Amino acid sequence: QESLVESGGGSVQAGGSLRLSCAVSGGRFSSYAMGWFRQAPGKEREFVSAISRSGKTITYRDSVKGRFTMSRDNAKNTANLQMNNLKPEDTAVYYCAADSRLVVIGSEYEPIDFASWGQGTQVTVSS
């Protein structure tokens, strides 16, 4: 059973940057499609970004396109989310997710599409 651990969250002012990382252990990292989701208080968990096993296909929700960049390092078993020009509406708990069956083809995904999850890391953006 794989384990996912997020890190890199924190508090920043609007316009600032943060880099989230997700370390995966207990499985073959290169066999997982990876995703980032977020959940704000009182709201449902929503898709942020996903990356294919090879890293060649990456998808984003519209509101983060041009500001967030997802990447993966299959040698280090990590998936990353570089977040620039952060806005107060980006405030949420960010979750890393993995799935061994999902094929990332350039669309948005639902939480049910991913089988394994981390515990989340808080991102707070103040205006």
Side-chain angles (χ1 to χ4, degrees):
Q1 182 69 27
E2 63 276 7
S3 173
L4 286 68
V5 179
E6 303 94 338
S7 61
S11 297
V12 297
Q13 291 190 328
S17 298
L18 285 172
R19 182 177 177 85
L20 305 184
S21 291
C22 174
V24 179
S25 60
R28 189 162 64 93
F29 181 73
S30 61
S31 70
Y32 301 131
M34 299 296 298
W36 286 98
F37 288 75
R38 66 188 181 187
Q39 188 166 16
K43 295 187 177 182
E44 293 186 351
R45 192 168 298 189
E46 65 180 20
F47 171 79
V48 175
S49 182
I51 191 168
S52 63
R53 291 164 182 76
S54 67
K56 293 181 179 180
T57 302
I58 308 173
T59 71
Y60 302 95
R61 70 179 298 108
D62 286 345
S63 63
V64 307
K65 287 179 180 177
R67 299 189 298 122
F68 290 12
T69 302
M70 186 173 183
S71 62
R72 67 186 295 158
D73 187 333
N74 285 351
K76 296 182 178 179
N77 293 355
T78 59
N80 305 297
L81 186 68
Q82 177 67 43
M83 306 185 295
N84 297 329
N85 191 22
L86 282 160
K87 302 177 180 181
E89 52 264 41
D90 295 318
T91 295
V93 177
Y94 282 71
Y95 296 91
C96 176
D99 195 275
S100 61
R101 298 183 180 183
L102 180 67
V103 177
V104 176
I105 57 172
S107 59
E108 294 194 10
Y109 296 94
E110 298 294 330
I112 198 172
D113 293 321
F114 289 84
S116 301
W117 292 84
Q119 294 300 307
T121 185
Q122 177 70 46
V123 171
T124 303
V125 185
S126 58
S127 57

